[in-house]
Amino acid sequence: MGHTSLEKIVNLQKNTANIRNICIVAHVDHGKTTLADSLIASNGIISNRLAGKLRYMDSREDEQIRGITMKSSSISLHFSTDNQEYLINMIDSPGHVDFSSEVSTAVRVCDGAVVMVDVVEGVCPQTQAVLRQTWLENISPVLVINKIDRLIIELKLTPLEAYIHLQKILEQVNAVTGSLFTSKVLEERAEMEVKAKPSSDSKSSEHIYDWSAGLEETDDSHLYFAPDQGNVVFASAIDGWGFRIEQFVQMYSQKVGISAEVLLKTLWGDYYLNTKAKKIMKGAQLKGKKPLFVQLVLENIWSLYEAVVVRRDKEKIDKIVNSLGLTILPRDSRHTDPKVHLNAICTQWLPISQAVLSMVCSKLPSPMDIAAERVEKLMCVRSRRFDSLPAQTQALKQAFLECKSDEKAPVIVFICKMFAVDSKALPQNKLRPLTQEEIAQRREQARKRHAEKLAIQAQQLEQSPPGMTPEICPANTSTRGIQVASQMEQASPSTCRQEKEQRERFIAFARVYSGTIRRGQKLFVLGPKYDPSEALPKLPQSCSPADDLSIPHLACCTVEDLYLLMGKELENVQEVPVGNVLGIGGLDDYVLKSATLSTSPVCPPFTPLNFEATPIVRVAVEPKHPSEMPQLVRGMKLLNQADPCVEVLVQESGEHVLITAGEVHLQRCLDDLRERFAKVEISSSEPIVPFRETIIRPPKVDMVNEDMGTQQKVAVIHQKKEDQSKYPEGVSVDSDGLVTLNTPNKLSILSVRAMPLPEPVTQLLEENSDLIRTIEQFNLSVKEGREALEINLTTLEAIQTFKQKLEENFVGRKWRNAVNQISAFGPRRYGPNILLNGLENYHRPSMWQCLDKTSKDSGAYKDFDNSIISGFQLATLSGPVCEEPLMGVCFILEKWDMSKVQQLVQTHTQSSTEGETIKTEDSQQETTSKENSLSELEPILESPAGQDGQIQGSQTLAESVADGKCNSEVVLTDCYGPFSGQLIATMKEACRFALQAKPQRLMAAMYTCEIMATAEVLGRVYAVLSKRAGRVLQEEMKEGTEMFIIKAVLPVAESFGFADEIRKRTSGLASPQLVFSHWEVIPSDPYWVPTTEEEYLHFGEKADTVNQARKYMNTVRKRKGLYVEEKIVEHAEKQRTLSKNK
């Protein structure tokens, strides 16, 4: 197919039924970009010979160097089949786990996905991740089993062995889809049960849960990949061939004399051809016959490879070419590389672009076939029910489903990411080739200028005096030209600076879901926190984006430019109708990472994107020259806008920190910062690895695995003295770890105990952080008296299940009724730590108000409850070991004595009634006497002055009560006053001391590491893992190959440079895939010192062997500028031996 013109693509955009928005997704190095090259070559954009080598969609320099895709990019392709013309908007996405956020952005704007699997490596971690992402976004996948040439050349399998191997690969992929489907059916069944069950019914104790129920009735045949359904392509993208079994059915149905329908059903499966009876029979495996797929398909491909690549048999090649009716150019057949000859044959016989694009057009939906379920999911942000949205918002669902592009249809556009483009690459700034008319016009202008110049020179010759040489005049003109040029040079630096500032332009990567977007159109920009139910009452009846509105999270913008995305090229268009992917210019100031655009303010913002990778690796950056700090700050803002996954923040210490998904992602961000966004030299710190602090139960064995208490303690007295000196004056700690602390004004006493949470509870809290956020938002809206959030049934059911699981995992007498006593989660109100309310005389509002809708709030504590929770949040945000957040810790508030405050209030109310009769003169005398004795007084409440200007303070509580000057009602009524601040600080300190009373440990972030390696390099892989404190979990051999799959866990702190080291040590035969997995307790105590004889003998008096936890703790403390206890040798002296002195 020849090159398609821009006009043709613009016309195709208007036929929504024939548009296909697809993304190519797979594990890293499974052949996505090579397939994309082949599809692009079918449109004549690149040559067929360059497909797989050019990597057209990898436009970045570092992508070409590393050989991996780092960003998702789109291109529009034209395809004709069965007298129908289709427009295919194809997005090539990365496969590396560090860039999985780019896959999320690509999947959101597509209706279908082409999932690729390497036939040798099979289903890898990222294959499972992309299948899960396509499932979550409700888009249809099709399968391409790639690199079949490896079965022939590398593994040297026979066609029958290859067929068995292909069956296993297909089973593996379908197993992943099956598990996703099963979970969905069970969720829907549970939801239906909740709806059907009357609220009055009590739960039957004899209820048996049938996990299989609902699965038998549901039809799932359309979900799975099966060659006979036409949703599987067998391919070798690098050799340019691929096929669906339909192509071979068409070839063989006439030759064999069997109907196409029968052959289509039996070509894949346990069927064989009985040549005598000319019938297809079942049971090829039992009878030892070749299956049809082997006999009719694989053997032909194997014989082609054997003739061209293995034996290079010219006669056989000519015979194959003639029988297939192909024309091969002499330069291809004579080429020294047999792969070139093979590619020339395959691209004509079984072109991969034909197979894949025909499958996409027939099996993947158009934008008009968008599922109602997907629309509701997109519109229901923050766990809301669809029916709880305003009626006008619900009516927009019809606009999504109809996909109309007329004037009346509301414009709805979703921007999934912003990407940076050099301003020189924009179509309006490009140097375009001149037309013939323009060339003729310019030639004419040049002739005129030349004629005028000659006329001026002739005139000067006539007017010049006889003694003067004519050369002077040109010299004058040249000097004048030099002066003008110098002026231009002086003016140019400022213009150059402006050009540099405007060099990077941001284009929004978007998809039109309804209506037609046009240049110059005004649209609403809906931020992620925009809520139409809150905004609609404030808006006028028929408001438009042109009106001046001041609604939070709602802005108005003008569409400056619209672009057709063609890989690295951009083409200007005037309008884009519904169902198309496009680029929008001029939204730099309105959109940070993603947003929703609409002409209607009733449209809700779309649900946030599902990111698989967690940003975990952080570095601090600074410019080499401090004067360039503003450029760095501006550059970091641009980087934050350009990358969907990166996070940029300024820490309390003033450090500018980048948080990225992994080492490769980090390197790319730093390169972008240097070369594109900041354009200054920067220096980055060593990667800042996050840790967590926790406590454990007292250990039963010591460091040499001896039972505690059985050995003679050597340093017991010394240890006890240290423990006593650890707590300051006024802090009492009992033997059981209960910490009691007074507020600075001695009005309140707090007693707090810390306990380690059971491991399953910590995991539950981590997994359900979004649910906890929803619970907190509901409780906050109830507390502030606002209208309670409408939570959908699915979320309510999830909260109920979450609560039940918590109750199941809190086992034992000490955790009795713990779930109902939860006051808060922390840090940041949704973390994996819990504050329990252990007070008998205070019943605070339940954490589970969204389930029981009851609220108990009594006692004098309710006004200051928030102060206690704030103190707990601060304590869990930074622990005592190295100021890192806590994890898996439960704090129990066992005592909170406010009796002195209540006594103070009662006394004050009595004295205030007596004080009403006192005259104004007496009060003035009291004020002057108070001022005279001010130096002798200490303030009870740190308040500067009372309401009537009197100083509040006294030496003792009794005097203040007697004087009646302390306006104590303020203490209880002003929950934001000084006393609340003292409670926050006291609670924070009490939690820290309670934590220190227990055995403290650090928790390290862990990667799961999956390595594929051959048997020869297994030893080297294990050596690198053990050197970096890794732990092998599993090792298995991949069936039918020589490859081993090693699954291990590795601390994030030890992972930097790990991938490079593995590749170097194994000569590139093994490459790891690192994904953040979990947090793990480091078993060694960071404060450990030897205390028993055995420990002294084993570790020595100094115990200076490497303590991993202490090493990590000291590294973090040094970075944060905290005190580090370590010995530094200042004046070392070299040891001199006797032999040296001779």
Side-chain angles (χ1 to χ4, degrees), residues 430-538:
K430 273 189 177 177
L431 292 170
R432 59 184 179 83
L434 298 172
T435 61
Q436 289 297 325
E437 292 81 10
E438 287 173 331
I439 291 169
Q441 193 179 353
R442 290 197 178 192
R443 193 186 295 121
E444 193 58 40
Q445 287 172 354
R447 277 180 190 154
K448 281 182 184 176
R449 281 199 301 271
H450 188 63
E452 284 171 9
K453 191 177 177 183
L454 288 173
I456 291 166
Q457 283 180 2
Q459 195 177 356
Q460 285 173 352
L461 279 169
E462 288 172 7
Q463 292 176 358
S464 60
M468 189 79 75
T469 55
E471 282 80 19
I472 293 170
C473 297
N476 289 340
T477 54
S478 65
T479 53
R480 199 180 300 119
I482 291 165
Q483 287 171 3
V484 171
S486 64
Q487 286 171 8
M488 288 291 288
E489 281 172 9
Q490 287 170 8
S492 64
S494 60
T495 53
C496 287
R497 206 174 297 118
Q498 285 173 4
E499 280 176 17
K500 279 184 181 178
E501 284 176 4
Q502 293 298 320
R503 201 174 167 196
E504 291 295 334
R505 293 285 304 277
F506 280 94
I507 308 291
F509 192 100
R511 151 94 184 263
V512 185
Y513 282 90
S514 172
T516 302
I517 186 169
R518 296 177 174 84
R519 282 184 71 175
Q521 192 174 17
K522 286 189 178 291
L523 295 171
F524 289 116
V525 182
L526 314 172
K529 291 185 179 178
Y530 174 73
D531 189 352
S533 56
E534 287 182 9
L536 283 175
K538 302 173 188 174

Side-chain angles (χ1 to χ4, degrees), residues 723-739:
D723 285 351
Q724 286 169 2
S725 62
K726 194 161 63 174
Y727 303 108
E729 227 178 293
V731 180
S732 63
V733 183
D734 68 4
S735 58
D736 201 22
L738 183 70
V739 172

Side-chain angles (χ1 to χ4, degrees), residues 703 1088 1098-1100 1102-1108 1110:
M703 292 291 282
W1088 177 79
H1098 192 274
F1099 295 103
K1102 293 179 181 176
D1104 48 8
T1105 52
V1106 178
N1107 179 342
Q1108 197 76 356
R1110 183 176 293 170

Side-chain angles (χ1 to χ4, degrees), residues 226 269 614:
T614 313

